[in-house]
Amino acid sequence: MSFRVAIFVVPVLVSLSVVTTSSAQESKSVSANENAKTLAGQPSRKPIMSSPKVIVFDVNETLLDLAGLKQSVGEALNGREDLLPLWFSNMLHYSLVETLAGEYHDFGDIGTAALMMVAEQEGIELTQDDAKAAIVTPLRSLPAHADVREGLQRLSEQGFRLVSLTNSSKIGVETQMKNAGLTDLFEKRYSIDQIKKYKPHPDTYQMVLDDLGLQPGEVLMVAAHAWDLAGAKSVGMQTAFVSRPGKTLYPNVQRPDVIVTDLNQLADVMAEAKH
């Protein structure tokens, strides 16, 4: 009798185990899918603190497509496009080194120096003139991402004041905006060369707040770089992350108030915020 009960119980337990495992896997799958939708396709609907008076935009990668610059850098490195992330991270790294050390060169000069460093590390011959030509001209001729002009126009029509804040030089950003056809959409174009400290140093964001005469909570910072938003958060700004391809959030700081895939989704979210 006990032998028959055991035979009956074992299949039931196995069946229950399969159901439990399947349910757990399904739950994990649903959770993963929801996270993927938030980061890869759907804007975060977490309400921002309040509707801002001014929206501040980062420029490079957030508004402008760096594909052309990356191509010219790859050509300067003998076609080694695999070295592009190393060059870009070096450029950002040494901009922060200069800020902390109390030094200042404009972003084009730092980009040129970073490119020469990578070339030397990899045994690639590259003159300073060739390195500068691979950086400065392409950097000032970047096209806007496809969603940018429409998204900015929608935000302007909603009544938001739009300004930009970039690590590029003042003359550099003026040229960038003109070549990208975006000059008319911005009230002001701020460059860190006005204060000679690179983002994400808090003083760069405070410079914008002081000039606008606004409190941090009245301003929204929009960027495709987690480090940029971390700096904005440090002074109390609201933040929005534009998840351009290849861009991810830094998990050790506060999450942005809004996460979108492009500026049209940002315009959708901000329309809701106003109501």
Side-chain angles (χ1 to χ4, degrees):
M1 182 68 176
S2 60
F3 178 72
R4 290 180 180 177
V5 170
I7 291 176
F8 174 75
V9 170
V10 170
V12 171
L13 291 176
V14 171
S15 176
L16 288 173
S17 175
V18 169
V19 170
T20 303
T21 302
S22 176
S23 298
Q25 290 174 338
E26 182 178 354
S27 176
K28 289 180 180 178
S29 176
V30 169
S31 177
N33 287 339
E34 290 301 317
N35 288 335
K37 286 180 181 179
T38 298
L39 293 177
Q42 300 295 326
S44 167
R45 294 300 182 180
K46 176 185 174 182
I48 60 177
M49 291 179 283
S50 62
S51 181
K53 294 181 178 179
V54 175
I55 304 178
V56 183
F57 288 87
D58 171 55
V59 176
N60 297 314
E61 289 199 290
T62 303
L63 301 179
L64 304 182
D65 187 350
L66 295 189
L69 176 61
K70 291 176 180 178
Q71 181 180 352
S72 69
V73 169
E75 290 173 355
L77 295 172
N78 293 345
R80 292 284 307 277
E81 293 192 1
D82 60 301
L83 296 175
L84 295 178
L86 177 60
W87 162 71
F88 195 70
S89 62
N90 272 354
M91 180 169 61
L92 294 177
H93 176 79
Y94 283 98
S95 69
L96 297 181
V97 167
E98 290 211 4
T99 295
L100 291 174
E103 300 286 341
Y104 180 76
H105 292 85
D106 72 37
F107 211 39
D109 287 342
I110 294 176
T112 299
L115 184 55
M116 293 178 68
M117 291 172 69
V118 172
E120 183 176 351
Q121 291 167 6
E122 298 297 322
I124 299 171
E125 291 187 10
L126 182 64
T127 67
Q128 183 173 3
D129 287 343
D130 288 342
K132 186 172 184 177
I135 299 295
V136 177
T137 300
L139 184 62
R140 294 183 179 182
S141 306
L142 301 172
H145 288 291
D147 58 282
V148 167
R149 185 165 186 87
E150 181 182 358
L152 291 174
Q153 287 177 326
R154 290 178 60 197
L155 289 167
S156 180
E157 289 167 0
Q158 290 170 15
F160 294 106
R161 297 167 60 191
L162 309 181
V163 304
S164 65
L165 172 62
T166 179
N167 277 341
S168 294
S169 66
K170 182 173 178 59
I171 188 171
V173 70
E174 296 291 345
T175 306
Q176 284 182 308
M177 290 294 195
K178 179 180 179 181
N179 289 338
L182 300 178
T183 302
D184 61 307
L185 295 172
F186 288 93
E187 177 182 323
K188 291 187 175 183
R189 293 165 295 281
Y190 295 99
S191 165
I192 60 87
D193 69 4
Q194 295 167 246
I195 195 170
K196 293 181 168 50
K197 294 178 182 178
Y198 282 94
K199 295 188 292 179
H201 195 288
D203 287 356
T204 63
Y205 308 94
Q206 191 62 51
M207 169 190 72
V208 175
L209 294 173
D210 291 343
D211 186 70
L212 293 172
L214 296 175
Q215 295 300 310
E218 297 175 310
V219 177
L220 175 69
M221 180 74 206
V222 181
H225 305 111
W227 50 266
D228 202 344
L229 299 183
K233 273 292 185 187
S234 74
V235 299
M237 284 183 173
Q238 301 182 68
T239 58
F241 178 65
V242 183
S243 57
R244 297 293 185 195
K247 299 303 173 187
T248 58
L249 292 171
Y250 178 54
N252 286 344
V253 295
Q254 294 182 62
R255 284 180 64 82
D257 300 289
V258 176
I259 299 172
V260 295
T261 57
D262 60 35
L263 297 199
N264 276 313
Q265 285 192 344
L266 179 64
D268 292 341
V269 172
M270 299 311 297
E272 292 180 7
K274 293 201 73 169
H275 298 91

